[in-house]
Structure formats: structure tokens, C-alpha cells
Amino acid sequence: MASFKTNYLLVCFSFMVSTLSVKACVHTVEAAVPEELKAGYIISEVNLQHCLNNTHLELTTSDPDFAIQQDGLLYATHSTRIHSGERAFVIWLQDQQSQQKWKIDVALSVEHNMVKREVNLKRSKRRWRPLPFSIRENEFPPFPKEIQQVQSDSSQNYDIIYKIYGQGVNLPPIGLFSVVPETGMLKVHRAVDREQIAEYKFFAEARTKDGIKRDRDLDITVKVEDENDNRPEFTDVVVLSVPEHSEIGAIVGQVNATDRDEPGTLFTQMAYKIISSTDLFSIQSETGIMYTTSTALDRETKDTYELTVEATDCKGQHYGLSNTGTVRIVLTDINDNPPTFKANKYEAKVEENQKDVLILRIPVEDKDLFNTSNWKAKFVIKKGNENGNFRIETDPVTNEGLLYVVKPFDYEKNKIVKLEVAAENEAELVGTKSTWATVPVDVNVINVDEGPEFETPNLFLRIKENEPNGTLIGIYKALDPETKSSDGIKYYKISDPASWIQVEKNTGKLLVAGNMDRESSFVTNGMYNITVNAVDQSSKTGTGTVEIYLEDENDNNPIITNKDLVICEHYGQLGYVKVEAEDKDAEPLSSPFVFSFPKDHDKNWKITNEKATSMHLEQATELPTGTYNVPVIIRDQQGKSEQQSITIRICKCSNGQCVTSPISTALGVWGILALLLGIALLLMLLCILLTCFCGKKKEKVDLDNGAEAVLIKSNTEGPGEEVMASNFRAPAQHTTLDQESRFQQPSGGGLQDIRLSDFQKASNGYGGETLDGGMRNGPSSYLSATNSTMQNNYGQQFGGGVQHYADQNSTSIWRTNGLVIDQKLNGFVTEHDDRFAQDISHVYGFEGKGSLAGSVGCCSDLNDDSGLEFVNTLGPKFRTLAQVCRKK
């Protein structure tokens, strides 16, 4: 320790050790050193200022006995010796950002081989610095113990007081380290544990007594030297596995113990051994890998082994620490045990004609691991199932074989069936010389009373199509299985889709009953099937199928499939269309076809590019746009043909489609007819309008009493009565007047006269009855009057004639009223200002004595059934008139 301190002080204060300073990043460093170097010996201070990015450098050396710090200080990390007087290694610098690398070669030589170095030494800037030093863990008391001294160069000129701070001082673990302020001696106050903290970092500062800091703070690293104070550790139980019956030397797995001591040291290097008594397994000491040493590992005998393994550090040396752990080895299953049957033979029985029934369960045993592919059975019928009557499966729960009959047996043909069934596994057998086991199974067929059976389940017949009705095509008979006789058996059809076949009930004869067309949708690939049922006297049945193959006949002509075609007009080119044909008959009664024209064709078209079922119909000459019907004859191979017509339209096209041609100034026949028809309709409409106009001028209206349809303006302003229906009643007796009383009213053509004598007689509108003395209540009296005076006087009021009411039914009355209303509307347009007076009720003081008409009120003697309900349909203009004239 004394010599180490002496060397350290020499370095710190005198720099007697050689130092190489460079202004740029160097390539080589050469230094003279003593033959024996102690840990912490400073070799050189390498200038790294211009080496890559010196703030992010990663520094390593190729020799673990030396290290370099970030500030370039190169020192010995362990006590070492320079053999043969020289030693070389490499310093590697790597920029952590750019990943660039730089290499510095270091050459050390023993000091006596070189010229005195004093002349080459260059004193660097004052910097106090102890090298990283270490303390041993688990030191024994007494404490505190001195560990290292720090001292600044400034102590030569000043009285320096030293102080430390950081981890282990004023930071946890607090109070572990201290410093003698006057001398800089570092002390440790208690034992340390490397497994808790492997190194401590703190700082030292140098101040004068007046508190002035005379040097930069020094960072101090104290490493804790490891000692073998931790035993190897195992997990709770190490579980390994290996297949049973593995070969010798098969790897079982690896045992791995851990040690808390410093990694990479002797204290963590393990040696393993099995301390349990076993001859089945071994372990490799250095790696902990376990191997099998026997092939007698049988899972069915023993499936798990537990061994005690010991791990010793220090490579198993006697001074190493050891510990034990448990290793559990599990044998995994292989399929070394085939399933075995519980019996030597099995028997089953089944009734004839039964199918899809379970007849037997076959149990097996298997020693392999439950519910794995090594245990699950797979059954195979080795013999006896040549006709496919059986099916065998595995019950997924019980692992039993399930034997089914899927195809019925006939007792008369098979009374007993002998099978051989094998039991296998889903996985193949390995690790054993055993083979799959088999067992015989006898199936007895039980006889039952059966229905009739056809001589063959499927009767095949071959006939020509279109055979005439009643043609015998075959006989389909059934026999009783017991008596081998067909007596008493009746035959019936179950299915006959096209109703082409008749089955004779007693004989089973098959007769044609319809036109059997091979090209029908009921025929598939020339085959037509029917199903026949045979019934014996005990009502038991049997079913058979008749398969009828229809031979083709040439009964179909070739047919054009596309008869409406288009040719797009191209200037200077002759167009063509592709015509395709088909024949429902089969070869050789159909294609290839022969295409031709009839003898009288117009030579405008020609046939080109003939193929089996198509040809090109091409223009022989240029043709104008339009539609053409081209006759074509198509013959099949047998010469059967039919003339057919193809419609071809020649037009201008856009994107392959005909476009509408511009309107032509020339009219065809149909255009002229359409024009004439339009003119005729226009003339007819004009005639109708003229007739209506002229008819309105000559319409005649005969009224039973003018007051029922027209409000009459009176110039007599005598006292009158209230306009009520009860006061507007004509006198019961007939009054004779020599003179004709007139109501004169100015209107379009001057004065108009309405004689009261015209209203004195009226005919009944329904029964033709004559009423004297005025009007009769009821719809039969509505607007019935003579027309002699009415034509002359009443018609003049509206500037035209009034139609005479010859027909007194309700329809005529309605039409008459409509005409009157129309005339009134015309008057509103053309007449003078007082035209509105006709629609206003007036009360007059006096109307004269002895008037047959009574009051001039328009609604004198009208009841609810007077026929004026039509006024409600005339709109709002006349609703007021209707309300005035209706009884209240």
C-alpha cells in the first residue's frame, strides 16, 4: 500500500511518468514504463480533443489490463508485467452518433531501453486526480479504515481543506465515506456488499481556509471487489421432458443455476453433478445438459423421475460454494402400444332389408396416453365388406367401434356374413415390434316376410322416339322372394314425368301412351326414367326403375337462331351478317348444315364463309338503306330442310347501333295517309264547333211556367207580396183572358213577349197528363209547356231560338236547363249594364188583379222535389239563385 501511494503522489504532483501530448488526434502512442506496473499506474494522457466528436466517444482497449478515460488519461487497471521489454495494444474510439471509428496504436517499452525521458516530458496543466480504486466487500472491523488519499497541487502554495459529497457521503447510503479535511485521506466506515452496490461515485473539492476554491472538483469512483459470498441458486423445480424409449445419449434438457456474484469471474462459473442414484440419466458438468443413458424408459411403467442435482461455483473446486436443486424429468408418450380387443370373437344380427342401423359395439383397450392420437382407435374392416354393406366408426367418448349396416341384406342370398375387423390408432406405431390386432365378427341375417322384388332393380330399354301410342316396349315383372312367383302382383306407376308410358296393372307390360320426343325437356342425355311399384296380395311393395333410352330420329329442321340482323352502312364496302342455326336432333341428323338460296332469289345476296352451324350472308351488290327479307334454305346431313326468312336492316350506325335518319322532305304512302287523317280530324272538329254554335242560336225551350227557370223583370211597380213558395201558386180555376198579358223586357233584339196563355196548359213530363189551371207540384210538371208562343217570345229574350222540349224525361230537362244557363252566361258577356237584374229578387208593390201567374216570384210553388237540385252543381255563381228560390 505504501509503495502504491508513493507512486500515485509522484504522478499527481511531479508527473515523473512519461506523458505524450499531441495537438491533434494521434495514430500512435509510445511510452516508457517500469517493467512491473501496478494497478492505477498512469501511462500517458492522450489528446482526444480533435478525435471525431469528442463529446460522444466510446473508448475501449484491446488489452483488458489497460483502460482510457474520456479526458484521454491512459492507465493500468490491474497489476501487470511487461514481458520481453515491450507490449502493444490498440485503443478504439467510436463516435456513438455517426458510428465512425478511430484506432490508436499503443507501444509500451521498459524504461531502461530508452533515453532519459526528462528531456521529453512536458508538464501539463495542474489537475488533481486519483485513479479509480477499489475496496473489498464484507471487510471485518475495526472501522473506519483508510482507503485512499486525494491531494491537489495547490496544496504546495496554500493550506487546503478537503471536502467530499455525493453517493455514500450525503446521499444514500449516507455516511459510508468521509475525508480528513487537512490531509485528504478517504475513509470507509462500514462493510459494503457488492451485490447491493457494485461501485460508488462521489466528488471531492479543495478550498483554502478562506473558502476560495483552488481547483476543479474531482470525481472519485470506488469499486467494490467481489468475493465468493453467494451460493448458486436453482428455480423451485426444473422440469424437463424426453420421449419414452429414447436412444442412449438423447438430450433431456439443460439445468441452469444462477449466482449473484460478479459475472464473468470464477465465482460464477458452475460445475454440475447428479447426486441421486440413477443409471438412466447423466449431466455434463460444465454446461448442465442432461442426457439419457438407457433405452428402458417406459412411460406406461413409470412416467416421471425426480433427481437431485448439485451446482458448485469456482468450477467445482473444493473451495467453491455449492447448492442443490430438484430436476423433474417427464417421459412423453409415443405410440408403442396398439389397441387390443377385449374378446376373441364378436357376433351380431340384423334383419334383412334393414339399413342404416347400428348392429354392434366393439370395445378395445389402449395403454397409451388417454385421449391422444396414440390412444384414439381407428377401426378398419379388412374382409367381408366387398359389397359395401357395412360402415364402421369410432365412438369419440368410449373409443369403441360402431358397426353399421348401410346396405340391406337379402336372407335368401346371405344368411351369414363373416367380417374381419382391425383396430388401429390415429398415430403410427413406433418403438415396438407389435402389430395392429384383428378380430372376427359374424353377422347373422334374420329372415322376414318381404314384398315383391323386380327381376332387376333397373330395367334398361332402348326404343326410337315418336313410337305410336300403344306400342309395347317391354315387360317389367316382379317376383315374390319366398315363392319365386309373380302371381297376384299388381303394377303401378310411381313417377312418369311426361306421362308417356302406360303400365298394365296385371302383367307389367310397358306401352307407349304419348309422343316420346327425344328433344323434350323431360329427357336428359337421351334418357327418360319412370318408377314402377309392385304390390303383392299382402300389400307389401317393391320398387323398380325403368330407364328408357330414346334413339334419335330426324324430326327437327335446322332453325335460324338470329333472324333479325343489322348491317352498318360503310361507303364503298359491302356488308355482311353472321347467320347461325341449330338443330335439336343429334348427330348425324343435324349439323354440319348446307346453306342455300331458293331458285327465285334476287341475286342481291350471297353466302360466304360456311361453317358447321353458321355462314355469312353478304351483299352481292350495293343496296340502299332499308329493311330486306332474305329467304334461305338450310339442310342437315340427311337433307331435311326448310325455307326460312332473315330480316336484314341496312342503316347508318353509331357504335354498332342504328341511328335515326334525318327527316325526309318526301312523304311515303303512310305519311300521306297520316296527313289526310289529321286534316279529316281537324275538319270534323270544326264542324262540331259550328254545329254547337249554330245549335245555341236555334235552341227552343218550352216551360210549364217561366218563373221556374227564369227570373222575369216586370215594369209594374205595384204592391206585391213576399216571395215565398206558398204565395207563388197558380189559381185553381181556369181564367179566361181575351188579351194576352205580356211581360216585356228589353234584350238583345228589342222587346220580347211572353204570353201567359202559353203557360195555361202543360203536359205531364212522365205520364203525359194535361194540367189546367197552372202548375202542378212535383217533378213531372217541371219545365213542361207548349212551344207556340215560347218560340216567338221567350226565344227572343236571349237573342236566339229555344229548343222545344219534346221529350219530357229527366235527361231532357237537365239539358234544357243547361242550355238556359249557357244563354245566361253569354248574356253576361254581351248584354247591357242591367243584365244583373235578372238574378236579383225584387219586391213589387202591385202586379195587377186576376193574374193567372199570381206573383212574379221565381219560386212561387216549388217543393223540395221540384227538380231544382241541379242548381247546386252549377257552381258558386248560381248558388245564391238556388237559395232564393228554395222554400225556407
Side-chain angles (χ1 to χ4, degrees):
M1 177 65 74
S3 60
F4 176 77
K5 292 180 180 179
T6 303
N7 291 332
Y8 179 74
L9 292 174
L10 289 174
V11 171
C12 291
F13 302 113
S14 302
F15 292 95
M16 295 303 293
V17 180
S18 70
T19 301
L20 181 62
S21 299
V22 292
K23 293 184 178 180
C25 190
V26 297
H27 291 277
T28 60
V29 173
E30 295 180 354
V33 296
E35 186 176 359
E36 292 187 5
L37 298 177
K38 295 185 178 181
Y41 184 86
I42 297 176
I43 298 170
S44 178
E45 187 172 0
V46 183
N47 186 0
L48 303 179
Q49 183 177 0
H50 302 287
C51 294
L52 304 177
N53 183 359
N54 62 354
T55 60
H56 298 89
L57 287 179
E58 180 181 352
L59 307 175
T60 58
T61 62
S62 61
D63 193 332
D65 290 334
F66 302 94
I68 185 170
Q69 296 187 154
Q70 290 290 331
D71 57 0
L73 187 65
L74 181 63
Y75 62 95
T77 58
H78 303 92
S79 296
T80 184
R81 186 180 184 87
I82 306 299
H83 298 284
S84 302
E86 293 182 355
R87 191 162 178 177
F89 59 91
V90 175
I91 300 174
W92 288 103
L93 290 74
Q94 182 174 359
D95 189 340
Q96 295 180 359
Q97 291 183 344
S98 63
Q99 300 299 317
Q100 291 181 332
K101 288 186 176 182
W102 186 264
K103 184 180 76 169
I104 301 176
D105 295 318
V106 179
L108 303 180
S109 60
V110 177
E111 201 168 10
H112 57 76
N113 293 335
M114 299 180 61
V115 183
K116 289 186 178 180
R117 300 186 56 198
E118 284 78 359
V119 297
N120 295 326
L121 291 178
K122 181 179 179 181
R123 187 174 182 85
S124 63
K125 183 180 178 182
R126 179 183 296 143
R127 180 76 172 99
W128 61 303
R129 175 189 310 278
L131 290 173
F133 56 90
S134 61
I135 59 176
R136 294 183 65 85
E137 67 172 336
N138 305 320
E139 285 281 2
F140 295 102
F143 292 101
K145 291 185 177 182
E146 295 181 353
I147 56 174
Q148 184 66 282
Q149 184 180 20
V150 295
Q151 192 172 11
S152 173
D153 287 348
S154 60
S155 62
Q156 296 177 3
N157 301 320
Y158 302 95
D159 292 332
I160 299 299
I161 303 298
Y162 298 96
K163 181 181 178 181
I164 61 174
Y165 61 92
Q167 184 184 19
V169 183
N170 59 336
L171 296 178
I174 297 173
L176 180 61
F177 299 101
S178 66
V179 64
V180 177
E182 294 78 10
T183 63
M185 179 59 70
L186 298 175
K187 296 182 178 182
V188 61
H189 290 263
R190 57 183 178 268
V192 295
D193 186 359
R194 192 207 66 84
E195 284 70 43
Q196 293 182 358
I197 300 176
E199 66 179 18
Y200 297 87
K201 291 184 179 182
F202 53 91
F203 301 89
E205 63 180 13
R207 295 176 182 267
T208 59
K209 292 183 178 180
D210 56 1
I212 298 175
K213 185 180 292 189
R214 293 298 178 179
D215 212 332
R216 290 183 299 169
D217 291 354
L218 175 67
D219 53 320
I220 301 173
T221 301
V222 179
K223 294 185 177 180
V224 180
E225 295 180 3
D226 187 32
E227 69 175 14
N228 193 16
D229 58 342
N230 291 279
R231 294 180 180 276
E233 296 179 355
F234 290 92
T235 57
D236 292 341
V237 176
V238 179
V239 179
L240 304 176
S241 63
V242 64
E244 60 176 333
H245 300 297
S246 294
E247 296 180 356
I248 296 175
I251 296 177
V252 179
Q254 185 175 16
V255 177
N256 187 21
T258 59
D259 196 314
R260 296 178 60 199
D261 290 324
E262 186 174 2
T265 65
L266 186 63
F267 303 149
T268 56
Q269 296 179 11
M270 305 294 175
Y272 301 92
K273 66 178 180 179
I274 300 174
I275 61 177
S276 299
S277 177
T278 179
D279 58 352
L280 300 177
F281 304 97
S282 64
I283 190 169
Q284 189 176 23
S285 176
E286 294 81 8
T287 62
I289 298 176
M290 299 191 68
Y291 301 90
T292 60
T293 57
S294 173
T295 59
L297 297 172
D298 188 1
R299 190 201 68 85
E300 287 74 33
T301 303
K302 186 176 182 179
D303 59 355
T304 304
Y305 294 86
E306 287 194 358
L307 304 177
T308 301
V309 175
E310 181 183 68
T312 304
D313 59 17
C314 295
K315 295 185 178 180
Q317 297 295 329
H318 64 279
Y319 50 80
L321 301 179
S322 62
N323 201 354
T324 60
T326 300
V327 177
R328 180 178 299 151
I329 300 176
V330 178
L331 299 184
T332 58
D333 186 40
I334 63 173
N335 193 19
D336 58 337
N337 293 281
T340 58
F341 294 98
K342 293 183 178 182
N344 296 326
K345 183 178 181 181
Y346 294 94
E347 291 186 358
K349 58 184 178 180
V350 61
E351 293 183 354
E352 63 176 333
N353 303 320
Q354 279 191 333
K355 64 177 181 178
D356 297 324
V357 293
L358 175 65
I359 62 172
L360 182 63
R361 301 180 74 95
I362 306 175
V364 293
E365 291 180 345
D366 197 314
K367 295 180 181 180
D368 290 318
L369 188 61
F370 175 77
N371 208 26
T372 63
S373 59
N374 300 330
W375 175 84
K376 294 179 180 178
K378 182 176 67 174
F379 295 89
V380 180
I381 301 176
K382 294 292 187 179
K383 297 179 182 178
N385 194 31
E386 288 76 12
N387 296 326
N389 296 89
F390 298 96
R391 182 183 80 247
I392 192 165
E393 299 176 352
T394 303
D395 189 322
V397 177
T398 64
N399 210 31
E400 294 176 321
L402 307 178
L403 184 62
Y404 293 87
V405 172
V406 295
K407 188 176 179 181
F409 285 101
D410 185 354
Y411 176 80
E412 286 70 28
K413 297 179 180 179
N414 299 95
K415 294 180 174 60
I416 186 172
V417 180
K418 294 183 177 294
L419 302 176
E420 183 179 304
V421 177
E424 302 176 356
N425 288 126
E426 293 181 358
E428 294 294 330
L429 283 174
V430 292
T432 181
K433 296 181 180 179
S434 301
T435 58
W436 303 120
T438 60
V439 67
V441 178
D442 293 342
V443 180
N444 298 303
V445 180
I446 301 174
N447 187 25
V448 295
D449 189 11
E450 303 172 272
E453 294 181 355
F454 284 96
E455 295 174 345
T456 175
N458 297 282
L459 176 63
F460 180 81
L461 299 176
R462 188 183 187 97
I463 64 172
K464 291 185 177 181
E465 65 173 332
N466 304 322
E467 288 286 354
N469 291 351
T471 301
L472 177 64
I473 62 174
I475 300 176
Y476 199 22
K477 281 191 174 184
L479 302 176
D480 189 314
E482 310 295 334
T483 64
K484 304 299 181 182
S485 172
S486 61
D487 294 341
I489 297 177
K490 307 295 183 183
Y491 303 92
Y492 305 92
K493 282 192 305 182
I494 297 178
S495 69
D496 183 6
S499 300
W500 285 345
I501 304 298
Q502 175 188 348
V503 179
E504 285 194 356
K505 181 178 180 180
N506 297 321
T507 62
K509 291 182 178 180
L510 305 176
L511 306 175
V512 176
N515 183 24
M516 303 184 71
D517 186 4
R518 187 181 184 276
E519 290 72 39
S520 170
S521 60
F522 297 104
V523 178
T524 303
N525 297 326
M527 297 298 298
Y528 180 74
N529 298 337
I530 68 171
T531 306
V532 180
N533 203 10
V535 183
D536 62 13
Q537 295 178 351
S538 61
S539 299
K540 289 185 173 60
T541 62
T543 304
T545 301
V546 180
E547 300 175 351
I548 302 173
Y549 180 79
L550 296 176
E551 296 179 354
D552 192 24
E553 288 191 341
N554 196 10
D555 57 343
N556 291 281
N557 294 320
I559 300 298
I560 297 175
T561 59
N562 51 342
K563 292 187 177 183
D564 294 319
L565 302 170
V566 174
I567 294 178
C568 293
E569 187 178 45
H570 297 285
Y571 180 75
Q573 297 182 9
L574 298 179
Y576 71 90
V577 292
K578 183 178 181 179
V579 180
E580 296 180 337
E582 66 176 3
D583 194 327
K584 294 183 179 180
D585 294 324
E587 293 185 359
L589 305 178
S590 58
S591 62
F593 303 133
V594 176
F595 300 88
S596 62
F597 292 114
K599 294 181 179 180
D600 56 348
H601 74 100
D602 55 8
K603 308 295 184 180
N604 290 331
W605 303 87
K606 61 182 179 180
I607 295 174
T608 61
N609 197 22
E610 283 191 67
K611 295 184 179 180
T613 59
S614 66
M615 60 90 170
H616 287 178
L617 192 58
E618 186 177 343
Q619 293 177 242
T621 60
E622 289 191 9
L623 298 173
T625 58
T627 303
Y628 299 87
N629 293 322
V630 181
V632 175
I633 298 175
I634 305 176
R635 294 181 175 84
D636 60 18
Q637 292 190 55
Q638 308 303 321
K640 189 174 180 62
S641 64
E642 179 183 358
Q643 180 173 317
Q644 302 172 61
S645 179
I646 303 173
T647 301
I648 301 177
R649 181 183 177 187
I650 301 177
C651 60
K652 297 181 182 294
C653 296
S654 175
N655 296 325
Q657 301 291 330
C658 284
V659 296
T660 304
S661 301
I663 299 176
S664 175
T665 56
L667 293 177
V669 176
W670 290 105
I672 296 174
L673 291 177
L675 182 61
L676 293 177
L677 179 60
I679 295 173
L681 290 175
L682 184 61
L683 292 175
M684 184 181 297
L685 179 61
L686 183 61
C687 292
I688 292 172
L689 293 175
L690 291 174
T691 302
C692 293
F693 180 77
C694 296
K696 289 182 180 180
K697 296 296 183 178
K698 298 179 181 180
E699 287 172 346
K700 300 178 181 180
V701 179
D702 292 341
L703 301 176
D704 291 341
N705 193 332
E708 285 194 4
V710 183
L711 292 176
I712 308 300
K713 182 176 180 181
S714 173
N715 292 330
T716 302
E717 300 296 331
E721 68 279 9
E722 183 179 0
V723 182
M724 297 293 292
S726 59
N727 296 329
F728 195 67
R729 191 178 295 275
Q733 72 277 5
H734 180 77
T735 305
T736 304
L737 298 177
D738 296 332
Q739 72 280 10
E740 295 179 348
S741 300
R742 301 172 180 268
F743 297 95
Q744 297 181 349
Q745 177 181 357
S747 184
L751 293 174
Q752 79 148 14
D753 298 334
I754 299 179
R755 295 186 180 92
L756 292 176
S757 60
D758 295 335
F759 297 95
Q760 290 179 355
K761 290 187 178 181
S763 60
N764 190 323
Y766 295 96
E769 178 183 357
T770 302
L771 301 177
D772 294 334
M775 298 178 63
R776 174 181 175 181
N777 292 337
S780 61
S781 63
Y782 180 67
L783 288 180
S784 59
T786 61
N787 72 350
S788 58
T789 307
M790 207 62 168
Q791 286 178 334
N792 298 327
N793 297 328
Y794 185 78
Q796 292 298 324
Q797 177 185 0
F798 299 96
V802 181
Q803 178 184 0
H804 175 66
Y805 280 78
D807 184 5
Q808 295 299 320
N809 57 30
S810 60
T811 303
S812 300
I813 294 171
W814 178 270
R815 294 181 58 192
T816 300
N817 294 333
L819 293 175
V820 172
I821 297 303
D822 289 341
Q823 294 295 342
K824 185 180 291 295
L825 290 173
N826 293 331
F828 270 85
V829 177
T830 60
E831 292 179 359
H832 44 78
D833 294 336
D834 62 349
R835 63 189 181 276
F836 298 101
Q838 299 181 50
D839 293 325
I840 303 174
S841 300
H842 297 275
V843 178
Y844 299 95
F846 179 71
E847 294 181 358
K849 296 181 179 180
S851 174
L852 294 176
S855 172
V856 297
C858 66
C859 305
S860 301
D861 194 20
L862 297 178
N863 295 326
D864 292 338
D865 57 351
S866 58
L868 289 177
E869 287 79 8
F870 75 93
V871 182
N872 292 330
T873 65
L874 299 181
K877 291 184 178 182
F878 304 101
R879 189 163 295 167
T880 303
L881 177 62
Q883 292 173 353
V884 171
C885 297
R886 190 178 295 276
K887 181 187 290 186
K888 296 182 181 179

